[in-house]
């Protein structure tokens, strides 16, 4: 397989030829790091095996898209041929363009010592090609992922410091840059402790599309901003799979009338389709589980909260006013409508471009004008 030609084409699509990330992209065999992956087909995850279909393998590995490598506790490497599974993605190989975007936000210098997250090892390999092995530390909470990445990176002649660590806990050294392609809320205080003065951290806020950059100051705190571009990453996890505390609420929310039935003033919105609305809602009311179902022309969306609150909205067509049922201690749809009112009134929401202040103990505050929220 002429993977080099595919890698060069990928590099040309992602960056300009003079970029310092062009050569890493053009010389890193992503397919070696992702030999198998999961694809979502009608709500189920189907296994794809590269060796059994080399053309599809090359197309997938050198496309600028994320490849899901683990669903729930099941890694694609360990799945049986033609297997189908369900659940939430728990690890992936992030799309190359987004990896580079996060690295660019970090403003990495040639002598930077950086900490990154492991996953498939692809982002780690790019950092090593750019900086050299000795300047890169890569961590993941999953021992199996770290062991597999180590083996595959060794085969490529790439030998960063790899460790099994929970990124929200103590980190294994001191760094000029921390770039996390898993999302957190709030910023772990261990990051401030591990950053050198003047060092920069780059991450996303869990449940949002917000990329946060912040520079450490001499007093041990950090200041920065939410970038104008968005990105979404999986949340940090501390076990084999994510907890889904709203599952019990789902049983009620599917069919119950609830305590309040209203007609929405806006067309039906599945919140994850609108990153700015989703981000604002998650900041104000974290932990909502969003679901959607299409039945012919009729579409229904649900919002489920671990405290027992829920909302269900149904509309027969795109322009039809949805009928909304709500139950539990909080009115989730009302919170959503207030955010949409603000968006219509002001033309944008204050989340993108917001200023960020992080205390040494990790308290993270976003602010823009009169608006602020502390995570």
């Amino acid at each position: 397989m002429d993977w080099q030609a595919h890698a060069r084409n990928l590099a040309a699509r992602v960056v300009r030829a003079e970029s310092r990330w062009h050569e890493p992209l053009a010389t890193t065999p992503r397919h070696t790091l992702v030999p198998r992956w999961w694809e979502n087909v009608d709500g189920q995850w189907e296994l794809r095996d590269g060796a059994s279909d080399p053309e599809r393998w090359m197309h997938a590995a050198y496309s600028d898209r994320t490849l899901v490598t683990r669903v729930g506790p099941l890694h694609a490497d360990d799945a049986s041929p033609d297997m189908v599974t369900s659940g939430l993605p728990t690890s992936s190989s992030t799309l190359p363009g987004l990896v580079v975007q996060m690295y660019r936000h970090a403003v990495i210098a040639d002598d930077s010592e950086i900490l990154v997250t492991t996953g498939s090892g692809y982002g780690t390999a790019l950092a090593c090609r750019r900086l050299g092995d000795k300047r890169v530390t890569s961590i993941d909470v999953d021992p199996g992922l770290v062991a597999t990445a180590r083996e595959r990176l060794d085969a490529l002649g790439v030998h960063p410091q790899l460790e099994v660590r929970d990124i929200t806990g103590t980190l294994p050294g001191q760094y000029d840059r921390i770039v996390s392609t898993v999302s957190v809320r709030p910023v772990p205080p261990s990051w401030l402790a591990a950053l050198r003065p003047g060092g920069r951290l780059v991450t996303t806020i869990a449940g949002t599309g917000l990329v946060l950059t912040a520079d450490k100051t001499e007093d041990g705190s950090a200041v920065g901003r939410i970038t104008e571009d968005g990105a979404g990453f999986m949340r940090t996890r501390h076990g084999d799979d994510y907890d889904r505390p709203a599952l019990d609420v789902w049983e009620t929310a599917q069919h119950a009338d609830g305590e309040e039935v209203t007609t929405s003033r806006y067309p039906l919105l599945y919140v994850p389709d609108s990153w700015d609305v989703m981000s604002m809602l998650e900041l104000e009311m974290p932990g909502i589980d969003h679901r959607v179902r299409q039945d012919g022309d009729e579409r229904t969306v649900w919002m489920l909260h671990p405290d027992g609150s829920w909302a269900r909205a149904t509309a027969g067509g795109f322009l039809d006013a949805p009928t909304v049922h709500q139950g539990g201690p909080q009115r989730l749809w009302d919170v959503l409508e207030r955010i949409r009112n603000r968006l219509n009134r002001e033309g944008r929401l204050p989340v993108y471009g917001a200023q960020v202040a992080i205390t040494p103990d990790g308290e993270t505050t976003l602010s823009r004008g009169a608006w602020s929220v502390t995570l």
Side-chain angles (χ1 to χ4, degrees):
M1 296 180 293
D2 184 14
W3 68 265
Q4 292 93 340
H6 290 282
R8 288 193 296 270
N9 289 336
L10 172 64
R13 292 194 302 272
V14 171
V15 297
R16 293 174 61 90
E18 61 269 26
S19 168
R20 286 178 290 186
W21 292 107
H22 187 278
E23 183 176 355
L25 286 163
T27 59
T28 300
R30 190 184 186 209
H31 72 286
T32 300
L33 298 164
V34 192
R36 303 174 111 203
W37 67 100
W38 297 103
E39 284 192 3
N40 192 286
V41 180
D42 297 328
Q44 296 288 309
W45 295 96
E46 295 183 359
L47 183 67
R48 299 289 184 256
D49 178 67
S52 66
D53 191 340
E55 184 175 350
R56 171 185 273 175
W57 192 11
M58 291 300 101
H59 176 75
Y62 298 100
S63 295
D64 191 24
R65 67 183 179 98
T66 293
L67 300 178
V68 172
T69 53
R70 194 174 185 272
V71 174
L74 184 58
H75 198 287
D77 290 346
D78 303 323
S80 304
D82 301 319
M83 187 169 185
V84 176
T85 190
S86 61
L88 296 176
T90 50
S91 192
S92 67
S93 176
T94 302
L95 64 151
L98 182 52
V99 175
V100 171
Q101 175 183 314
M102 296 291 282
Y103 286 165
R104 283 175 163 169
H105 281 311
V107 194
I108 296 170
D110 290 342
D111 60 352
S112 294
E113 295 182 356
I114 71 172
L115 176 83
V116 300
T117 42
T118 307
S120 71
Y122 179 67
T124 302
L126 293 180
C128 290
R129 298 281 198 212
R130 164 82 168 77
L131 296 170
D133 300 357
K134 295 188 186 308
R135 297 189 178 278
V136 179
T137 299
S138 182
I139 64 173
D140 200 291
V141 72
D142 190 316
L145 290 180
V146 172
T148 299
R150 187 190 310 278
E151 179 181 339
R152 290 172 179 164
L153 290 169
D154 283 348
L156 301 181
V158 177
H159 310 290
Q161 179 180 344
L162 280 164
E163 292 201 18
V164 179
R165 293 282 180 126
D166 182 339
I167 198 168
T168 64
T170 303
L171 300 181
Q174 294 287 304
Y175 309 99
D176 302 301
R177 303 289 186 268
I178 295 174
V179 182
S180 174
T181 53
V182 293
S183 62
V184 297
R185 179 182 178 138
V187 172
S190 60
W191 294 15
L192 277 295
L195 267 182
R196 297 184 176 114
R200 170 169 288 199
L201 63 89
V202 182
T203 189
T204 52
I205 299 173
T208 77
L210 304 178
V211 178
L212 181 157
T213 70
D215 301 320
K216 185 175 178 180
T217 59
E218 292 292 341
D219 65 0
S221 60
V223 294
R225 68 185 184 94
I226 301 297
T227 68
E228 291 289 347
D229 55 333
F233 290 102
M234 299 173 194
R235 300 170 184 260
T236 53
R237 59 182 172 86
H238 308 287
D240 284 342
D241 202 351
Y242 294 111
D243 295 329
R244 301 199 71 179
L247 279 178
D248 291 342
V249 186
W250 173 238
E251 297 302 319
T252 301
Q254 290 185 74
H255 306 293
D257 285 336
E259 290 85 45
E260 185 173 316
V261 182
T262 58
T263 300
S264 175
R265 62 179 295 187
Y266 297 113
L268 188 67
L269 173 67
Y270 175 53
V271 171
D273 287 339
S274 176
W275 275 20
D276 53 348
V277 173
M278 178 185 74
S279 299
M280 191 79 170
L281 179 63
E282 180 69 17
L283 292 177
E284 294 191 8
M285 187 168 288
I288 295 176
D289 185 354
H290 300 277
R291 304 192 182 195
V292 62
R293 180 182 297 161
Q294 189 81 35
D295 185 10
D297 292 334
E298 184 178 271
R299 196 179 196 217
T300 302
V301 301
W302 288 267
M303 300 166 62
L304 316 169
H305 195 274
D307 72 357
S309 303
W310 59 270
R312 181 181 73 250
T314 302
F318 177 73
L319 296 178
D320 291 352
T323 299
V324 181
H325 296 254
Q326 299 187 81
Q330 302 187 78
R331 297 293 173 258
L332 305 183
W333 200 264
D334 292 353
V335 178
L336 173 61
E337 295 245 314
R338 286 198 295 271
I339 292 171
R340 297 180 78 179
N341 288 342
R342 181 169 190 163
L343 178 60
N344 285 346
R345 184 176 66 249
E346 300 178 8
R348 66 174 293 171
L349 294 170
V351 285
Y352 290 103
Q355 299 298 306
V356 174
I358 308 170
T359 65
D361 63 0
E363 183 179 87
T364 305
T365 300
L366 280 58
S367 61
R368 185 169 185 174
W371 172 82
S372 70
V373 63
T374 296
L375 307 184

